[in-house]
Amino acid sequence: MQINTAQLLKQAIGSNRSYEINDMFIADDERESGECHIQGTVELIRTDRGILVQGKLAGTSNIMCSRCLTMFDYPLSFGMEDEFFPSRDVTSGISLSLPDDSTTFMIDEYHILDLSEAIRQYVLITIPMKPLCHPDCAGLCPNCGSNLNQNACYCDSQPQESPLGNLLRKGK
Ligand SMILES: [Zn+2]
Ligand SMILES: [Zn+2]
């Protein structure tokens, strides 16, 4: 997801170019987000300060269901709009100071604009705090641990003795 912006930075304000995105990446966080696949089109627009990136992206992220703990593909769809600031002037080669803002995205000194971190942040915002593989996911049986989406257990109709309970009774 790296785009060379040297040509666009030399153009007039308002100049723009479109790029197709079709990429896999890993959006790791505590929700065990796995592999993401992102597709879409972004438009890069030359602004007075840098380059504005606008686009609509969609794809999937392989994440773990918070209820039954199986991995599933969560559908992603989001719009992005971020301004990227050059760290070096494209014509003079002089290093530029960046806006004093920790959320600022940079274009590196070789004029490469890397969309990965911005897209990773959108993905992490899009994924719910407690993702569900299905709105009515049945989850795991708290007694025997079987996945109730795949097979019903008989814990409710026939309460089963725990192995410890059996041992204690045999010992009497
Ligand atoms: Zn589930
Ligand atoms: Zn059970």
Side-chain angles (χ1 to χ4, degrees):
M1 276 183 270
Q2 295 189 333
I3 299 169
N4 189 325
T5 59
Q7 288 305 315
L8 186 57
L9 284 169
K10 287 175 188 161
Q11 292 174 358
I13 294 168
S15 303
N16 61 80
R17 282 180 190 202
S18 291
Y19 292 88
E20 293 292 322
I21 304 284
N22 187 351
D23 258 299
M24 306 285 289
F25 71 103
I26 304 291
D28 240 356
D29 84 338
E30 70 276 9
R31 285 160 292 179
E32 310 223 13
S33 309
E35 211 166 57
C36 294
H37 183 213
I38 297 291
Q39 275 182 297
T41 308
V42 292
E43 192 175 17
L44 273 59
I45 304 155
R46 178 71 165 111
T47 65
D48 56 340
R49 299 187 298 174
I51 289 176
L52 180 67
V53 180
Q54 287 180 323
K56 277 202 176 297
L57 299 170
T60 55
S61 179
N62 195 250
I63 58 176
M64 186 185 280
C65 174
S66 62
R67 216 178 268 170
C68 70
L69 310 184
T70 50
M71 299 299 287
F72 70 104
D73 279 339
Y74 183 81
L76 301 167
S77 175
F78 56 89
M80 75 176 295
E81 180 169 304
D82 289 289
E83 195 168 11
F84 288 71
F85 299 95
S87 51
R88 190 183 286 271
D89 188 278
V90 72
T91 41
S92 68
I94 294 169
S95 291
L96 300 171
S97 57
L98 294 164
D100 194 15
D101 181 350
S102 61
T103 61
T104 297
F105 292 113
M106 282 175 50
I107 300 166
D108 77 7
E109 55 186 315
Y110 305 106
H111 316 298
I112 302 295
L113 187 158
D114 189 351
L115 288 172
S116 315
E117 178 56 23
I119 289 178
R120 198 184 75 89
Q121 289 184 14
Y122 281 105
V123 168
L124 294 183
I125 293 167
T126 308
I127 297 171
M129 288 314 293
K130 291 196 178 297
L132 292 177
C133 64
H134 202 260
D136 51 4
C137 169
L140 301 177
C141 171
N143 197 26
C144 69
S146 58
N147 185 337
L148 300 177
N149 297 311
Q150 288 162 5
N151 40 46
C153 68
Y154 300 100
C155 291
D156 280 339
S157 51
Q158 291 178 340
Q160 289 175 359
E161 295 289 347
S162 68
L164 184 62
N166 284 333
L167 276 175
L168 289 174
R169 200 179 6 264
K170 276 179 192 156
K172 272 184 186 171

